[in-house]
Amino acid sequence: MPIPPSLITFLVGMALVLAGLWLGQNVSLLPVDASVNAPVYDELFKVLFSIGSILFIGILGLLLFSLVRFRRREGDHSDGAPIEGNLPLEIVWTAIPAVVVLFIGIYSYDIYDRMGGMTPLNDHSAMVHAASMEASATMQVANAATSEEPRVWGGIGVRSDKDILPVDLTALQFAFIFHYPGANITSGELHVPAHRSVELRMKANDVIHAFWVPQFRLKQDIIPGQQTILTFTATRPGTYPIVCAELCGPYHGGMRSSVVVHEPDDFEAWLQKNSPAPPPTASVAQLDVLPVA
Amino acid sequence: MTIASPQDLAVPQPPSGQLQPQGWLRYFSFSLDHKVIGLQYIVTSFLFYLIGGALAGVIRTELVSPMSDFVSRETYNEVLTLHGTIMIFLWIVPVVNGGFGNYLIPFYVGARDMAFPRLNAVAFWMIPPAGLLLIASHFITGSAQSGWTAYPPLSLTTPAMAQVVWIISVLLLGGSSIFGAINFIATVMKMRRPGLKLMQLPMYCWAMLGTSILAVLSTPVLAGTLLLLSFDIVAHTGFFNPTLGGNVVVYQHLFWFYSHPAVYIMVLPAFGLVSEILPVHARKPLFGYSTMVYSIMAIVFLGLIVWAHHMFTSGTPPWMRLFFTIATAFIAVPTGIKFFNWLATLWGGKIALNSAMLFACAFIVNFVFGGITGVALAQVPFDIHVHDTYFVVGHFHYIVYGGTVFVIFSAIYHWYPKFTGKMLDETLGKIHFALTFIGFNLCFAPQHWLGLNGMPRRVAEYDPMFTTLNQLSSVGALLMALSTLPFLINVIRSFSHGAVAGDNPWNALTPEWLTTSPPPVENWKGEAPLVAHPYGYGQLPSAGLPVDQATGQDVWTGS
Ligand code: HEM
Ligand SMILES: [Cu+2]
Ligand SMILES: [Cu+2]
């Protein structure tokens, strides 16, 4: 008995979906995850990768099948069937992508929410204000002045509300300079404890730069004239690259640094070791480079 | 006696149509013939393509090793700026709009020329000076170093002269594009042969109508923006200069308000060309004509309201991100409709697997891939990680090269017989195809992984862990460069040695085939044919006619 075409179509479709899901689950194209954000990102990536694979393999298969099955044979000068359209079909292939796209949109909205993207801006700036008040108590006057300037929120990044570590980041051609206002440390490398929210207060002096840590799945432009806040919580101790992702001049490709994620205790030790002696002298070599705004 | 009388003087007056230089000379003249102008566009932009390709070669050579060791860092940035600018403004946009548009649109609407032939010639002749200015500037003032996006403040701090020359050049090219667009709108709307309805036009007309609407609406915004930028550079105004109270993010909004539609200015005409090529070589009507028309118009509309998806990391507010995510992702719906319609056109056809068809089908594969990564990029949380990385470079090359450039080659294999009266060689064509397809995928597929794993774009040096894949990508680029050779040999050799094509070698039904190859001045010896069914395959006895004997009219009338 011949197998009905609809059954074949159904089976091929099922196989395709299973293959796509398998690919999404088993092919890993991303670097290790080292922040609270990253596993959430990877979840989204898996879903997109599965849907993308199903669509791509399906369309590729359909095309190759047509090219082989309907190729013109030697000596055949006839035309194909004069089919000009088919409304039900058109409706199907308008509806399916619309549903898929809608699903992806809603799903990625949820992911964005979980990454902290939908926290209302106002709430957030209130918190920033509280944080900066508290920080400014321990800060130098110059720094307190900076914290008065309005800041734009990066619009992404999970933070827990308690115990936030503020770090100032100044990007300039062609370096990142980090300053720990509490401990008055200035460093070309970012050191953060695992499992504690870090609030990066970023500013650029010359041109646009971008702060990117691939293992955190986070990127934010650092724009002159627009101080920006980016929060993240690292999870996995280790050393990861910080990459400038916005063309900023000839040495753009060399504008890199590292972020070192410490176990909380190690981080305290690092702070102790690097804090300047009480009357802050220019004992840390980099202190001269720090452009106090 | 041979004293010249007034009458004698009048005699050398050539009959109309010969007022202009004849023969090959007319291709170097201010010709008003739309076919000459079309070919002028195609050949000129192909020359710029070769220059842009050489620049790509410099980029890929530099990236063979993780250190900056081939050209200086400044030169590298100049090269990547020139590469982007040339490929977009001097190759893709002019060739698919001005080139094929000028050649085909008057045929398709049944006209003897474009609505404004003089404006048409002006639009073309703005391109060579603009292009030469851009390239010559490299040797005189140095060229711009801030990328084709020219984001301030970088573009305000890099060498000023170079940036200003870049702006002038882009303004000229933008002006040319606007003139061309006005001409296409007028021709499609007003020059149609009596009796020819809008919904009977070949799909390329609709694509060009949509594209021209985008060009007219968005290019002036780019012009205004670049003018303000040049004021900032020359007169030290502060529109985009934060130290003078300006705002750099505003520039990004204005720039992408043009430059996202620009991606559709580059790809919609290619969609149109594919819609012409597939039915002919599959011997089937274009599937779903009216949904194709509506989806073009939907793409035009949506294309105007998605620009901020290029700015998800610029500190845009969350509501804006949400809106632009949804709008962008929804472009996939009308785009998807077009692809399903093409697949349905192929289904059940009699597909000739020639070079034109192979390039057109490869376009489908590549564009679908680029579209899928595009929908992923539209998702804010996804984009935050890969924005400004090699993932984006991979995405848009799959769209622009894998999409549009593949279609341009397909179109040249398809229309070369009409342009010259000679066929292109199929063996060379297939070698060209194989090299291009393999080289292209080898070059750009690995870039997605590079971006996901930490390689930013526009860098001359990178983390050594990325060396192997970059070298693979460079090998792909080399194959692509080599693939140009069989193509060039083919195009040049076939011009003199190719098999004679006849008027209608493909047995096609669209009106450009219903005249001689190459067509006469004013397109048809007699009256323009009324083609009410440009895709009427399978309905007329055309199929029965021997390919080498049928003339266009025979095919059309079925006599
Ligand atoms: C139609 C042809 C298309 C072309 C020519 C095209 C071209 C481009 C280009 C040139 C860029 C990079 C801009 C830059 O950063 O310099 C880009 C980025 C992008 N494209 Fe496409 N694209 C096309 C289709 C699509 C589609 C179908 C989608 C989604 C449905 C899409 C979504 C995006 C997004 C979201 C970005 C921003 C990525 C980023 O910079 O982070 N594109 N595209
Ligand atoms: Cu940079
Ligand atoms: Cu875009």
Side-chain angles (χ1 to χ4, degrees):
Chain A
M1 199 190 84
I3 313 166
S6 53
L7 184 63
I8 298 182
T9 319
F10 178 76
L11 289 177
V12 171
M14 285 309 289
L16 196 60
V17 170
L18 289 177
L21 291 178
W22 185 86
L23 282 174
Q25 288 306 316
N26 291 289
V27 178
S28 170
L29 298 175
L30 291 159
V32 298
D33 56 297
S35 79
V36 175
N37 254 25
V40 187
Y41 183 94
D42 296 4
E43 211 177 293
L44 171 69
F45 187 86
K46 283 197 172 96
V47 171
L48 292 175
F49 192 68
S50 289
I51 296 178
S53 309
I54 294 171
L55 285 174
F56 184 68
I57 299 173
I59 292 176
L60 183 66
L62 198 63
L63 181 71
L64 289 178
F65 176 80
S66 308
L67 288 186
V68 174
R69 172 77 179 69
F70 303 115
R71 72 185 184 281
R72 195 184 294 172
R73 318 290 153 124
E74 200 74 47
D76 181 355
H77 292 293
S78 62
D79 281 2
I83 307 163
E84 305 219 314
N86 181 327
L87 194 60
L89 259 184
E90 300 273 1
I91 292 174
V92 167
W93 63 52
T94 310
I96 291 179
V99 170
V100 170
V101 159
L102 208 63
F103 164 76
I104 294 178
I106 293 171
Y107 180 65
S108 86
Y109 172 89
D110 179 55
I111 292 283
Y112 187 44
D113 193 28
R114 283 163 59 194
M115 288 185 179
M118 297 318 285
T119 324
L121 211 51
N122 287 338
D123 276 25
H124 186 91
S125 38
M127 287 190 309
V128 172
H129 194 64
S132 59
M133 291 290 275
E134 170 206 317
S136 61
T138 55
M139 265 193 290
Q140 259 79 48
V141 193
N143 282 328
T146 3
S147 65
E148 299 298 323
E149 284 179 36
R151 288 201 174 100
V152 177
W153 172 50
I156 194 144
V158 188
R159 58 188 274 161
S160 57
D161 290 346
K162 52 178 178 11
D163 193 22
I164 291 170
L165 173 72
V167 180
D168 292 321
L169 161 55
T170 306
L172 49 115
Q173 284 169 326
F174 297 91
F176 296 103
I177 293 173
F178 300 95
H179 178 73
Y180 294 75
N184 196 19
I185 299 175
T186 301
S187 160
E189 220 176 41
L190 180 59
H191 289 256
V192 298
H195 311 296
R196 183 171 164 200
S197 295
V198 177
E199 180 179 278
L200 264 188
R201 302 133 164 222
M202 313 195 294
K203 71 192 189 78
N205 286 351
D206 36 40
V207 301
I208 307 176
H209 304 272
F211 172 89
W212 180 33
V213 180
Q215 286 73 4
F216 290 179
R217 317 281 192 270
L218 273 183
K219 179 182 299 109
Q220 181 63 45
D221 288 2
I222 313 174
I223 297 172
Q226 173 178 310
Q227 298 207 23
T228 309
I229 288 181
L230 179 71
T231 46
F232 63 83
T233 309
T235 51
R236 191 188 296 268
T239 305
Y240 309 107
I242 296 173
V243 181
C244 174
E246 182 71 49
L247 179 64
C248 57
Y251 287 83
H252 166 52
M255 183 165 165
R256 326 168 109 256
S257 177
S258 313
V259 47
V260 183
V261 180
H262 296 276
E263 294 291 358
D265 292 347
D266 297 349
F267 179 71
E268 285 309 319
W270 179 85
L271 272 186
Q272 294 301 321
K273 199 170 118 233
N274 288 279
S275 290
T281 54
S283 56
V284 181
Q286 278 134 325
L287 210 57
D288 317 38
V289 240
L290 170 68
V292 185
Chain B
M1 284 305 297
T2 55
I3 296 166
S5 70
Q7 257 171 344
D8 286 336
L9 279 179
V11 171
Q13 274 289 359
S16 72
Q18 291 186 2
L19 276 168
Q20 306 211 340
Q22 292 302 297
W24 60 271
L25 256 183
R26 71 203 143 115
Y27 291 99
F28 293 88
S29 74
F30 193 82
S31 172
L32 303 185
D33 182 341
H34 70 97
K35 297 181 290 299
V36 174
I37 296 178
L39 291 177
Q40 283 175 327
Y41 266 108
I42 293 173
V43 173
T44 311
S45 43
F46 193 82
L47 294 178
F48 284 118
Y49 172 60
L50 294 181
I51 297 174
L55 293 166
V58 174
I59 296 178
R60 287 302 340 158
T61 310
E62 173 65 71
L63 294 179
V64 166
S65 76
M67 286 90 62
S68 165
D69 51 9
F70 179 58
V71 290
S72 78
R73 291 176 168 82
E74 285 80 5
T75 313
Y76 184 81
N77 286 356
E78 293 181 337
V79 166
L80 73 86
T81 304
L82 276 181
H83 165 74
T85 312
I86 289 177
M87 288 303 196
I88 293 170
F89 293 105
L90 287 160
W91 160 235
I92 306 273
V93 172
V95 78
V96 289
N97 290 278
F100 290 100
N102 273 305
Y103 201 97
L104 297 173
I105 293 289
F107 281 112
Y108 286 174
V109 300
R112 305 221 174 261
D113 210 309
M114 294 287 287
F116 311 116
R118 229 163 279 276
L119 184 67
N120 205 13
V122 170
F124 168 73
W125 281 106
M126 287 166 81
I127 288 180
L132 293 178
L133 180 68
L134 188 68
I135 290 160
S137 77
H138 182 75
F139 302 100
I140 299 163
T141 59
S143 37
Q145 297 181 20
S146 54
W148 82 279
T149 46
Y151 276 12
L154 184 63
S155 51
L156 305 178
T157 56
T158 42
M161 238 352 250
Q163 195 66 49
V164 170
V165 172
W166 180 87
I167 291 175
I168 295 172
S169 171
V170 173
L171 284 178
L172 281 172
L173 295 167
S176 159
S177 169
I178 295 174
F179 289 166
I182 293 171
N183 219 341
F184 288 125
I185 295 176
T187 309
V188 172
M189 300 312 290
K190 290 291 169 207
M191 301 289 285
R192 286 196 312 282
R193 180 195 189 288
L196 185 61
K197 300 192 192 67
L198 270 178
M199 290 304 268
Q200 294 172 337
L201 290 173
M203 194 53 58
Y204 183 60
C205 295
W206 284 103
M208 283 308 297
L209 188 63
T211 309
S212 303
I213 293 172
L214 279 179
V216 167
L217 289 179
S218 62
T219 319
V221 176
L222 177 73
T225 312
L226 292 185
L227 269 180
L228 294 185
L229 186 65
S230 67
F231 291 160
D232 276 8
I233 296 171
V234 177
H236 303 288
T237 52
F239 296 107
F240 305 127
N241 188 342
T243 52
L244 299 175
N247 187 322
V248 296
V249 179
V250 172
Y251 174 90
Q252 300 181 5
H253 278 293
L254 294 169
F255 179 84
W256 288 111
F257 184 84
Y258 163 76
S259 291
H260 181 81
V263 309
Y264 288 98
I265 296 174
M266 292 187 267
V267 90
L268 273 181
F271 285 1
L273 293 172
V274 165
S275 298
E276 302 307 328
I277 294 166
L278 289 182
V280 174
H281 298 282
R283 312 307 304 167
K284 265 193 73 202
L286 182 65
F287 197 90
Y289 181 96
S290 29
T291 39
M292 291 293 243
V293 172
Y294 298 136
S295 43
I296 288 176
M297 291 306 156
I299 290 175
V300 168
F301 173 71
L302 288 173
L304 283 168
I305 53 167
V306 299
W307 72 88
H309 64 215
H310 298 272
M311 303 166 52
F312 286 150
T313 63
S314 303
T316 40
W319 69 264
M320 213 190 250
R321 300 177 184 206
L322 209 60
F323 173 80
F324 285 101
T325 291
I326 292 168
T328 307
F330 260 94
I331 293 197
V333 177
T335 314
I337 294 175
K338 297 189 71 72
F339 281 80
F340 290 120
N341 277 321
W342 287 325
L343 289 173
T345 305
L346 294 176
W347 188 268
K350 305 271 181 181
I351 302 169
L353 293 177
N354 52 27
S355 310
M357 190 51 138
L358 290 174
F359 270 107
C361 290
F363 148 80
I364 296 184
V365 176
N366 299 335
F367 191 97
V368 166
F369 192 86
I372 289 171
T373 55
V375 173
L377 285 170
Q379 314 306 318
V380 177
F382 182 93
D383 182 69
I384 298 280
H385 175 48
V386 291
H387 170 68
D388 262 331
T389 69
Y390 258 85
F391 189 92
V392 172
V393 177
H395 158 71
F396 69 77
H397 282 92
Y398 263 81
I399 299 280
V400 181
Y401 196 104
T404 307
V405 178
F406 271 66
V407 172
I408 294 169
F409 284 128
S410 172
I412 290 176
Y413 285 98
H414 182 75
W415 277 291
Y416 187 87
K418 181 50 58 182
F419 296 162
T420 62
K422 300 290 176 62
M423 301 300 286
L424 282 172
D425 183 77
E426 269 300 314
T427 313
L428 282 175
K430 283 179 182 143
I431 295 174
H432 174 210
F433 170 75
L435 279 176
T436 314
F437 188 73
I438 297 169
F440 165 78
N441 282 290
L442 206 57
C443 182
F444 294 110
Q447 296 184 352
H448 295 90
W449 189 89
L450 289 173
L452 285 169
N453 283 275
M455 183 164 165
R457 64 192 287 202
R458 295 171 165 173
V459 292
E461 53 213 301
Y462 54 84
D463 189 322
M465 72 177 273
F466 298 130
T467 313
T468 319
L469 276 190
N470 269 297
Q471 287 171 345
L472 197 67
S473 178
S474 294
V475 170
L478 182 64
L479 285 184
M480 287 162 80
L482 290 178
S483 79
T484 329
L485 292 178
F487 175 72
L488 280 176
I489 295 172
N490 202 353
V491 167
I492 294 169
R493 236 185 75 88
S494 301
F495 190 73
S496 50
H497 290 71
V500 174
D503 293 349
N504 191 357
W506 311 124
N507 240 340
L509 299 179
T510 41
E512 81 275 27
W513 299 102
L514 311 183
T515 181
T516 54
S517 307
V521 175
E522 306 208 325
N523 300 345
W524 293 277
K525 288 265 156 49
E527 205 192 327
L530 174 63
V531 178
H533 300 280
Y535 306 113
Y537 300 102
Q539 293 161 344
L540 293 154
S542 65
L545 292 173
V547 178
D548 46 345
Q549 282 171 26
T551 71
Q553 280 296 352
D554 294 340
V555 174
W556 181 241
T557 57
S559 58

